Amino acid sequence: MELLSTKVLIIGSGAAGYSAAIYAARANLEPIVVTGMQPGGQLTITTDVENYPGFVSIQGPELMEQMRLHAEKVGTRIVDDEIKSIEQLEDSDEYRFRSSGYTNNYCSAAIIIAAGAQAKWLGLESEKKFQGYGVSACATCDSAFFRNKVVAVVGGGNTAVEEAIFLTRFAKEVILIHRRDKLRAEKVMQDRLLKNDKIKVMWNHTVEQVLGEENPKKVTGITIKSTETDKAQELRVDGVFIAIGHAPNTGIFKGFVEMDQQGYIVTKPGTTLTSKAGVFAAGDVQDKVYRQAVVAAGTGCMAALDAEKFLES
């Protein structure tokens, strides 16, 4: 078993992790990035990215590969591994980590947690099949692809209502599908949604299947079922937005740093500092508002600068 020691260990390899690595490497901190279960993060399941500055259009996996190459070029060591446990050594300022399968141990003086978050999905095979081809969990990211088209939004909370309203800027019709007979969203948001002529609400329905074509690969509709009568019907839609929430990948940090009730890591306002000295959080593990790659990259930069300042002191 190899012990890999570094000044800064970065957990996660999305936009936040790679940006942190680039800045840390340029500061001669010799960072190690442990990629985690999904190297490249959520952008690896995204097709066209048209809102990342500097790229008019780029495939999500290609963008993440460019970030990885950039991080490696400036001196980052990248290990395709997964951290399973973390502890602070007694009478020491250093942290020790164990990886998946205990193939490696890691030791560092500072940690940048950039493990990201995952959208909550319905769990349908057809949903997974068309992710990136009409099935999305981010209206802000993908709404422009559905200009003058019909889209469905699944959910009943603030996120679903906000995404449905946002989509009306582009789509000609938005169908909100909710399994209950009332929304969980804030009253003011409900009022806005129900007054919007572009939005139709399908109460007491669940999505059973996403329908689509193979060549070219695209969504053509959904099958929904009534929770009251079990009657199924097909709806013709060009896109499906799943808006039933996100879950940060922070399970192994529970009890290690302060988190909110939803499991997001709490950071000091205007910084990436967590409740534990030498531990910093960037990207979707601490951002439940914006959830954009460019924001994650910015906080990754902040985390590296905060870590550099900590190590200097």
Side-chain angles (χ1 to χ4, degrees):
M1 183 180 295
E2 186 178 3
L3 175 64
L4 303 179
S5 183
T6 178
K7 296 173 185 175
V8 180
L9 186 78
I10 300 169
I11 302 173
S13 56
Y18 284 144
S19 293
I22 291 165
Y23 276 83
R26 286 170 58 85
N28 293 323
L29 299 181
E30 302 174 343
I32 293 176
V33 169
V34 180
T35 60
M37 288 182 63
Q38 188 178 17
Q42 294 185 76
L43 279 177
T44 58
I45 59 171
T46 302
T47 50
D48 296 317
V49 177
E50 295 185 341
N51 57 2
Y52 198 90
F55 298 92
V56 175
S57 180
I58 188 170
Q59 296 288 297
E62 182 184 356
L63 176 60
M64 298 320 299
E65 180 62 22
Q66 289 295 316
M67 287 191 185
R68 177 172 179 142
L69 291 172
H70 190 170
E72 288 178 318
K73 184 175 181 179
V74 293
T76 301
R77 179 172 182 177
I78 298 176
V79 184
D80 292 320
D81 200 353
E82 182 184 1
I83 298 296
K84 284 296 187 182
S85 67
I86 178 172
E87 63 178 339
Q88 187 168 9
L89 302 179
E90 277 190 40
D91 302 320
S92 172
D93 292 329
E94 290 192 320
Y95 297 94
R96 180 68 60 91
F97 312 82
R98 289 187 182 276
S99 68
S100 178
Y102 301 101
T103 53
N104 290 313
N105 275 344
Y106 302 86
C107 185
S108 73
I111 311 164
I112 295 175
I113 302 171
Q118 293 182 331
K120 294 179 181 177
W121 300 97
L122 300 175
L124 306 173
E125 281 297 321
S126 55
E127 168 195 53
K128 184 176 181 180
K129 178 180 179 180
F130 289 101
Q131 282 180 18
Y133 296 93
V135 173
S136 172
C138 181
T140 310
C141 310
D142 298 329
S143 55
F145 298 119
F146 299 93
R147 195 179 299 276
N148 298 320
K149 295 184 178 181
V150 179
V151 298
V153 176
V154 184
N158 280 341
T159 299
V161 171
E162 288 170 2
E163 299 229 322
I165 293 171
F166 182 83
L167 282 161
T168 60
R169 302 182 188 181
F170 300 89
K172 67 178 180 183
E173 183 182 9
V174 177
I175 304 170
L176 180 71
I177 300 167
H178 187 39
R179 59 183 177 176
R180 297 188 176 93
D181 61 358
K182 59 183 178 181
L183 300 170
R184 293 177 285 106
E186 296 172 5
K187 186 64 168 60
V188 64
M189 296 300 298
Q190 293 188 41
D191 291 342
R192 290 177 189 170
L193 178 131
L194 296 173
K195 290 177 181 177
N196 194 312
D197 293 336
K198 279 190 170 185
I199 300 175
K200 174 184 177 183
V201 181
M202 297 290 292
W203 303 105
N204 300 307
H205 279 83
T206 58
V207 175
E208 299 297 300
Q209 189 175 3
V210 178
L211 309 173
E213 297 177 354
E214 288 294 336
N215 192 19
K217 198 171 186 179
K218 64 178 182 178
V219 167
T220 59
I222 53 176
T223 301
I224 63 173
K225 186 172 75 171
S226 169
T227 59
E228 297 178 315
T229 66
D230 280 344
K231 181 181 178 180
Q233 62 177 301
E234 288 186 11
L235 297 179
R236 304 300 293 179
V237 299
D238 302 291
V240 185
F241 289 83
I242 311 301
I244 57 176
H246 284 73
N249 298 320
T250 56
I252 66 169
F253 307 107
K254 188 175 181 180
F256 180 67
V257 291
E258 182 185 354
M259 300 181 190
D260 66 14
Q261 292 183 338
Q262 297 169 287
Y264 288 88
I265 296 174
V266 175
T267 53
K268 182 180 177 182
T271 76
T272 61
L273 279 66
T274 71
S275 59
K276 191 175 289 291
V279 180
F280 310 89
D284 288 2
V285 292
Q286 52 85 227
D287 172 22
K288 58 185 177 183
V289 177
Y290 301 103
R291 295 197 299 266
Q292 299 296 305
V294 67
V295 177
T299 57
C301 162
M302 291 168 60
L305 297 177
D306 286 340
E308 180 184 10
K309 185 176 179 180
F310 167 79
L311 292 168
E312 286 176 349
S313 64

